[in-house]
Amino acid sequence: MEPISLAAALASFTETWSPRIVTAVNDYDVRVAKVEGEHVWHVHDHTDEFFLVLDGELHIALREKGAERTVVLPKGSVFTVPRGTEHKPYAPAPTAILVIEPTGTLTVGDRHDEVPAHVDATTGHTLR
């Protein structure tokens, strides 16, 4: 094992909404992604989803108990979307995030709206 530079990991790819797996902790992947624009409304039925904003600003729209709200995460902020909560991340400008999810978790969740072409429906890509 060697230390991993998150800056180098992020510099190694250009695609947005296409996370790279930088390491694993027990049965969880630690992923970094470049994001901009809208993701897709989706739900993870069996797992929470942890977000850390490394650079930029991430908005996460949430549908809870029949109402919608949006949380805004500036650089350095963390937020966990509880399992079963419908959500849609959005970045108004280029943003870098770190996400922690169980290994094999699909980026578009267990249930989702139609996936737009700019969103990579993946369980994460290996860092090169």
Side-chain angles (χ1 to χ4, degrees):
M1 284 304 243
E2 294 295 324
I4 298 165
S5 162
L6 295 181
L10 286 161
S12 73
F13 63 98
T14 58
E15 300 86 1
T16 58
W17 300 113
S18 184
R20 299 308 192 264
I21 301 167
V22 294
T23 192
V25 179
N26 297 317
D27 297 328
Y28 287 80
D29 286 340
V30 178
R31 305 171 183 174
V32 293
K34 295 178 179 181
V35 299
E36 185 176 14
E38 295 187 354
H39 194 262
V40 62
W41 280 105
H42 66 285
V43 177
H44 299 280
D45 289 326
H46 306 289
T47 185
D48 300 336
E49 186 173 18
F50 172 89
F51 292 89
L52 164 63
V53 178
L54 301 170
D55 193 36
E57 181 177 273
L58 184 68
H59 299 209
I60 304 175
L62 303 162
R63 290 181 177 155
E64 306 167 297
K65 301 176 185 164
E68 255 184 53
R69 71 179 178 111
T70 299
V71 295
V72 177
L73 289 78
K75 179 180 178 177
S77 295
V78 300
F79 185 77
T80 299
V81 176
R83 73 191 72 198
T85 302
E86 190 174 13
H87 61 288
K88 180 168 104 172
Y90 166 77
T95 296
I97 62 174
L98 181 143
V99 178
I100 301 174
E101 298 177 297
T103 299
T105 300
L106 195 60
T107 57
V108 294
D110 301 305
R111 295 178 282 122
H112 53 81
D113 285 351
E114 184 175 335
V115 179
H118 71 278
V119 171
D120 186 8
T122 180
T123 57
H125 299 283
T126 303
L127 191 62
R128 297 173 204 213

